[in-house]
Amino acid sequence: MKERTTATNVEMDGIKIHQTKIIKMTNLDFLKETLEEDNPDAIIYDGADEAIMGLVYHDDKPPIIAYSYSKWIKMLMDRDGMSEDEAVEYFDYNV
């Protein structure tokens, strides 16, 4: 259901991560429940579940959801019929 990784100076989906614990979760309901308990103020984007990579715990801060930029762009292209340029522009302006 989940995989815990402690990352130091690694790159994940084009993002450099330093001293961060990443929890990849395959069950989105469990991920959202965990986030509600650990960080009820965290932002969860509606309709972007396909782009969720997992939870990120950075230093002593509460966890946040990690989204994949490339998966989000692909989701906009597939789901909403946008071109790549339209999807990037939409993401940059709205997210």
Side-chain angles (χ1 to χ4, degrees):
M1 181 183 302
K2 62 183 176 177
E3 170 188 329
R4 293 182 181 266
T5 305
T6 301
T8 303
N9 298 324
V10 298
E11 190 168 320
M12 181 178 206
D13 199 40
I15 300 169
K16 290 184 180 179
I17 300 171
H18 305 280
Q19 298 176 342
T20 301
K21 181 171 42 172
I22 302 166
I23 300 177
K24 290 184 177 184
M25 298 185 183
T26 55
N27 183 322
L28 290 178
D29 291 332
F30 181 75
L31 179 144
K32 290 177 182 179
E33 287 173 18
T34 301
L35 189 63
E36 263 185 39
E37 291 172 10
D38 294 349
N39 186 5
D41 297 326
I43 296 171
I44 301 174
Y45 292 99
D46 290 333
D49 288 356
E50 294 175 45
I52 292 176
M53 294 171 43
L55 293 180
V56 175
Y57 291 80
H58 184 69
D59 296 329
D60 292 330
K61 298 176 185 170
I64 58 171
I65 290 183
Y67 291 92
S68 167
Y69 177 81
S70 59
K71 287 181 182 179
W72 198 314
I73 297 302
K74 183 170 178 4
M75 177 188 69
L76 291 172
M77 293 169 60
D78 295 344
R79 184 189 69 195
D80 300 338
M82 295 181 185
S83 69
E84 184 175 359
D85 289 341
E86 291 169 330
V88 168
E89 182 178 338
Y90 178 88
F91 182 91
D92 289 347
Y93 183 77
N94 294 290
V95 180

